[in-house]
Amino acid sequence: MDPLASVAQLTNRLQRPLNADEATQALTDASGLVRAIAHQTFSFVADETVELAGGDRVLRLPERPLVLDDTHPLTVVELGDFGAITVPMIQHRDYEVSGGELSRSYPWYWNRNRLMGWPYNRVLGVWTPRVQVTYSHGYQVIPDDVVSIVLDVAQVLMSNPDGVRSRTIGGYSETFASEHLGRDMVDNIRIKLSGTARKRGAFSVRTP
């Protein structure tokens, strides 16, 4: 998968010429780390099919933001157990979309006119245990705040590719106090991503 920032952006950040291969590797590694911490791809992905665990009224899509338009439809199918019938779901009849959440119909005592829980021997207003969703997600253009976080990490990797705190060569000693990709920096990335998640309401950052 392509890096979340470009060599040109990293060059502008560092204000010096860079080896293209080294810069690309640093950006690839930085993007991989940011994706792993956020549990998000960020890059646009069209028509991905996933099988999700249901059993509740709300089904949360793992990748966000959801892209939903005439070109990128949302297909939702409840899967039966042991080869039982599968049921295609219809938006506004069987569920509603809010951000990255698919909410099943409300209990019957809230709205008697709504169809829910089909077939009727299932729990009303609750998704079946397994649901298959085909959807598009991510950004055509990576948000600036995500790019900035990736560039922060790539800058560290370019400055200290071996990931050491200090090194001594002969009589020369060098310490990387703020340029070490260790626990503190990973926690700092998580904090920044959490701020991005709250700002956009598009995803959540899980703690380790």
Side-chain angles (χ1 to χ4, degrees), residues 24 27 55 64 93 97 111-114 119 125 142 145-146 166 172 180 184 196 203 207-208:
T24 299
L27 289 167
R64 306 183 188 182
R93 188 197 73 176
V97 178
N111 188 337
R112 291 176 180 270
N113 297 321
R114 267 186 103 163
I142 305 302
D145 42 3
V146 176
S166 63
Y172 173 76
H180 172 66
D184 290 344
T196 297
F203 62 95
T207 56

Side-chain angles (χ1 to χ4, degrees), residues 90-111:
I90 299 176
Q91 187 179 353
H92 304 312
R93 188 197 73 176
D94 302 310
Y95 68 92
E96 298 293 344
V97 178
S98 177
E101 296 183 343
L102 311 182
S103 298
R104 201 75 166 86
S105 299
Y106 289 95
W108 64 269
Y109 49 83
W110 288 16
N111 188 337

Side-chain angles (χ1 to χ4, degrees), residues 124-136:
L124 297 180
V126 174
W127 291 101
T128 53
R130 296 183 304 123
V131 183
Q132 179 178 288
V133 179
T134 300
Y135 70 119
S136 301

Side-chain angles (χ1 to χ4, degrees), residues 28-208:
T28 299
D29 293 344
S31 299
L33 179 59
V34 168
R35 283 172 169 139
I37 293 174
H39 301 277
Q40 293 292 299
T41 300
F42 292 111
S43 301
F44 178 73
V45 177
D47 301 323
E48 181 179 12
T49 298
V50 295
E51 185 176 313
L52 305 176
D56 204 342
R57 192 179 68 81
V58 177
L59 192 69
R60 292 176 175 83
L61 299 175
E63 292 277 358
R64 306 183 188 182
L66 167 66
V67 177
L68 181 57
D69 53 36
D70 293 340
T71 307
H72 306 98
L74 175 65
T75 303
V76 184
V77 179
E78 288 191 325
L79 303 177
D81 296 324
F82 308 111
I85 189 172
T86 61
V87 184
M89 296 286 100
I90 299 176
Q91 187 179 353
H92 304 312
R93 188 197 73 176
D94 302 310
Y95 68 92
E96 298 293 344
V97 178
S98 177
E101 296 183 343
L102 311 182
S103 298
R104 201 75 166 86
S105 299
Y106 289 95
W108 64 269
Y109 49 83
W110 288 16
N111 188 337
R112 291 176 180 270
N113 297 321
R114 267 186 103 163
L115 175 65
M116 55 202 135
W118 193 97
Y120 303 111
N121 61 347
R122 293 178 181 169
V123 178
L124 297 180
V126 174
W127 291 101
T128 53
R130 296 183 304 123
V131 183
Q132 179 178 288
V133 179
T134 300
Y135 70 119
S136 301
H137 56 81
Y139 300 94
Q140 297 279 7
V141 177
I142 305 302
D144 290 341
D145 42 3
V146 176
V147 171
S148 179
I149 295 170
V150 172
L151 292 177
D152 288 344
V153 180
Q155 183 173 350
V156 171
L157 294 175
M158 291 292 292
S159 302
N160 183 10
D162 296 327
V164 297
R165 284 194 180 276
S166 63
R167 61 189 174 199
T168 301
I169 303 176
Y172 173 76
S173 178
E174 185 177 17
T175 300
F176 297 92
S178 61
E179 296 182 343
H180 172 66
L181 192 57
R183 182 72 182 185
D184 290 344
M185 181 152 190
V186 170
D187 288 342
N188 188 43
I189 295 169
R190 184 173 287 108
I191 291 170
K192 289 182 178 179
L193 284 170
S194 296
T196 297
R198 288 192 297 271
K199 173 183 176 182
R200 300 184 179 281
F203 62 95
S204 59
V205 177
R206 286 173 269 176
T207 56

